[in-house]
Amino acid sequence: MKRLSDNILLLGNTNFNYYLAGQKEAVIIECGMTAGVSLLAEQWASLPQKPEVKYILAMHSHFDHVCGIAMLKTLFPSALAVGSARTQKILTSDKVKQALKRADDIVTAAYIKNGLLKEKPADLNIELLGIDLCVGDGDSLNLGNDLKIDIFETPGHSPCSISAYFEQDKAMFLSDAAGYRDDSG
Ligand SMILES: [Fe+2]
């Protein structure tokens, strides 16, 4: 857990990063997977001041960015899951959701085997894998107190990718749009 700026807190374990942006009202940027959300839940419990999480933002539909939606919705039942229209459509497929669950189960098992999780979390509920609110170019998520997150469509890494800009703290959230670490470094 690390404070990145006045209004942004980094949660997760660096493999799964979650950005809590806002003050009284907040968005969780990135959804990760059940294993990552399990770690976020522990960090959340230890936060002295908890904002109202109004939105959880899925940056694109790849498995390591959407499987966590289900557990995040359980943790924050009043929050809206937000993503692109393409991501929403992809997450209507039962076949896709079953495949996502299989991937999620593998990562959770690896976390437990390697001692990164103490307890097995509840199984991913695929009924909760979905986007409630579609966003695209020109849309914003209002966080009160004149704080907002602006959305940009940034296809390239995947057609469904979006990025988010938090003007107040001059922070851009690119997800995988600018590349990511692999074995080549
Ligand atoms: Fe990706």
Side-chain angles (χ1 to χ4, degrees), residues 46-109:
S46 71
L47 277 186
Q49 289 184 321
K50 297 177 176 59
E52 178 194 354
V53 176
K54 290 189 71 180
Y55 307 103
I56 52 181
L57 188 54
M59 306 298 275
H60 62 289
S61 68
H62 290 167
F63 72 99
D64 49 334
H65 295 261
V66 293
C67 286
I69 291 174
M71 189 174 178
L72 284 169
K73 280 189 176 179
T74 305
L75 284 173
F76 308 106
S78 63
L80 290 176
V82 182
S84 68
R86 282 176 183 265
T87 295
Q88 184 184 52
K89 187 173 180 204
I90 288 165
L91 292 180
T92 60
S93 162
D94 202 53
K95 193 174 165 188
V96 167
K97 289 193 279 189
Q98 293 289 354
L100 289 170
K101 184 178 181 327
R102 287 195 293 277
D104 198 64
D105 288 346
I106 289 169
V107 172
T108 295

Side-chain angles (χ1 to χ4, degrees), residues 33 60 81 96 129 135 185:
M33 304 182 78
H60 62 289
V96 167
L129 275 187
V135 290

